[in-house]
Amino acid sequence: MPYLDHHESRLYYEVHGSGSPVVLLHGVGGNHASWFYQVAAWRADFKVILVDARGFGKSTDAELAGRAEFTNDLVAVLDALDLQRVSFVAQSMGAGTAIDFACRYPDRVASLLIADSLVGITLPESIAVEMAKVQSATRDLSQAERVLGRTHLANSPAMTQLYLQIAGFNRYTFKTLVGVQPSYTPEQIAATGVRIGFLVGEEDVLFPPKIVAEMCKHFDGAELMTLANAGHSAYFEAPDQFNTRVANWLQFQE
């Protein structure tokens, strides 16, 4: 099995297909198993790398470091695979790791697609105020209501159950996750020269499209993709839309 021993923990990863390397970084409700739609769609055109963050999926967290070691773990996996330059598709929590990696190692990042997230970005005051309101309004929602949009919840009860079962293999939840990652201002991120894109589901209650669109304006040349009938987990809820639009965005750079 593809494990890497790093310090006292074991990191799980998978590699599928061939082509330009694309690393998929999951959110707090996900792990490597969450990306089955993307693996099937992209492995003919990309080398798809899945990495379980420590404490998620099959990766352990013996040191109880949590987020504090996510980026260092990622460096270790990419070095072990001899991948010097990759693109990232980073969902929710995963964006914090991808942004930290890009700011520390900009020459190793071809492009960064931030999906349903502003994690890792130091928000301008006006956006921070709006996000505080969102966090207050969503505090008491169930896990399914937080991460899946109303369309998916109404029409796909079996897939909703699958999402929750996949999340059940994680040690951590959004309430128990430990560790701290740095955040970076838009100016610091832009200074890396890394190509940036944003994607958001139009029904995302955690990072509403209006707020993501406002944040996108702070990045010159950044593309914003909005997916219909999808919430916070657009990759899972609207996979055909997600796979086509993200693949086209990734290939545009080539």
Side-chain angles (χ1 to χ4, degrees):
M1 297 296 287
Y3 286 97
L4 175 68
D5 291 325
H6 190 223
H7 303 307
E8 299 301 318
S9 297
R10 299 195 80 197
L11 307 176
Y12 180 81
Y13 65 91
E14 295 180 1
V15 180
H16 300 269
S18 59
S20 299
V22 179
V23 180
L24 310 186
L25 299 179
H26 62 79
V28 75
N31 52 56
H32 73 278
S34 302
W35 298 108
F36 58 93
Y37 284 124
Q38 286 68 47
V39 170
W42 291 347
R43 62 188 168 194
D45 299 308
F46 301 101
K47 178 180 286 187
V48 181
I49 300 99
L50 315 177
V51 182
D52 276 346
R54 61 170 56 226
F56 291 83
K58 295 182 178 181
S59 290
T60 65
D61 186 12
E63 300 91 341
L64 301 180
R67 278 180 292 217
E69 282 296 312
F70 283 0
T71 304
N72 293 333
D73 293 340
L74 180 59
V75 172
V77 171
L78 296 185
D79 285 350
L81 293 172
D82 195 26
L83 292 172
Q84 298 305 312
R85 196 164 189 260
V86 302
S87 291
F88 288 109
V89 175
Q91 160 70 19
S92 194
M93 175 189 76
T97 302
I99 289 171
D100 186 34
F101 186 99
C103 288
R104 290 167 58 182
Y105 309 102
D107 292 342
R108 299 189 67 173
V109 184
S111 59
L112 167 56
L113 192 283
I114 300 169
D116 291 297
S117 186
L118 298 177
V119 176
I121 304 174
T122 302
L123 303 179
E125 184 176 357
S126 61
I127 296 177
V129 168
E130 292 304 309
M131 277 303 303
K133 295 176 183 176
V134 169
Q135 291 165 358
S136 177
T138 58
R139 185 175 296 119
D140 296 328
L141 294 180
S142 69
Q143 177 66 356
E145 291 169 328
R146 289 172 57 85
V147 299
L148 301 170
R150 59 183 180 274
T151 300
H152 191 276
L153 291 172
N155 297 331
S156 303
M159 293 304 290
T160 296
Q161 186 61 30
L162 175 61
Y163 182 101
L164 297 174
Q165 288 177 320
I166 290 173
F169 290 100
N170 297 336
R171 173 178 188 150
Y172 294 121
T173 70
F174 79 96
K175 293 182 179 180
T176 64
L177 181 59
V178 299
V180 177
Q181 282 182 308
S183 64
Y184 299 85
T185 66
E187 293 76 18
Q188 289 174 309
I189 299 169
T192 66
V194 170
R195 179 171 176 255
I196 303 287
F198 289 86
L199 180 145
V200 63
E202 68 174 11
E203 300 174 7
D204 191 337
V205 297
L206 298 184
F207 294 96
K210 183 178 179 180
I211 296 178
V212 174
E214 190 61 31
M215 189 72 252
C216 186
K217 294 176 183 177
H218 289 260
F219 294 86
D220 288 342
E223 181 175 347
L224 173 64
M225 293 169 259
T226 303
L227 301 193
N229 302 317
H232 183 63
S233 303
Y235 72 97
F236 186 90
E237 301 170 71
D240 290 342
Q241 286 189 76
F242 184 97
N243 294 343
T244 298
R245 296 191 66 179
V246 175
N248 287 342
W249 186 82
L250 291 168
Q251 290 172 329
F252 182 77
Q253 70 186 332
E254 297 178 358

